[in-house]
Structures are given as structure tokens and as C-alpha cells.
């Protein structure tokens, strides 16, 4: 699997944080399903590195680990 940012690059063809302008301080990520959280985590790290102060994640479905 590509995982994290690799999957976003595959879909968009670019680094997801490459178009963030310096004045952007809050970004909302919207994802239909969160499985492991690795993609959202990696994108959040990239955004924070670009100067974003707050990242909000909104999702419709969350998969739970089997016990």
C-alpha cells in the first residue's frame, strides 16, 4: 500500500501541502473513512510544517480494531 501522503499524491498528483499559502492558519481535512489514521496524521504533520496552526479532521466513518 502507498499509505499516508503517498496515497494523496497518487490521487492528486501533488504534495497535499504544496498549495498552502503562508497566511492559512486553520485547515479542515474531510475524509469519508478513517482506517488507521496514518494518512490524516501524515497530512497534518505536513500542514503543521507549512505553518498551519490548527488541523481539524471531519469524517463520516471510523473503522475500529478487532479485539
Amino acid at each position: 500500500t502507498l499509505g499516508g501522503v503517498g496515497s494523496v499524491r497518487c490521487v492528486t498528483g501533488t504534495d497535499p501541502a504544496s498549495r498552502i499559502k503562508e497566511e492559512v492558519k486553520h485547515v479542515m481535512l474531510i475524509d469519508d473513512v478513517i482506517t488507521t489514521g496514518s494518512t490524516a496524521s501524515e497530512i497534518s504533520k505536513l500542514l503543521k510544517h507549512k505553518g498551519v496552526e490548527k488541523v481539524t479532521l471531519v469524517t463520516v466513518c471510523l473503522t475500529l480494531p478487532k479485539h
Side-chain angles (χ1 to χ4, degrees):
T1 65
L2 292 171
V5 176
S7 62
V8 174
R9 281 192 186 125
C10 182
V11 172
T12 66
T14 62
D15 178 335
S18 66
R19 293 182 271 161
I20 297 295
K21 296 180 178 159
E22 288 183 25
E23 62 270 8
V24 174
K25 299 298 177 195
H26 183 195
V27 172
M28 180 180 291
L29 297 177
I30 302 172
D31 198 356
D32 57 346
V33 177
I34 295 179
T35 306
T36 66
S38 64
T39 301
S41 178
E42 289 300 314
I43 293 172
S44 295
K45 288 176 192 175
L46 280 172
L47 292 169
K48 296 277 187 156
H49 181 72
K50 289 282 191 172
V52 173
E53 294 174 4
K54 183 177 181 180
V55 178
T56 302
L57 175 63
V58 177
T59 190
V60 176
C61 185
L62 174 67
T63 60
L64 300 174
K66 294 180 180 179
H67 293 286

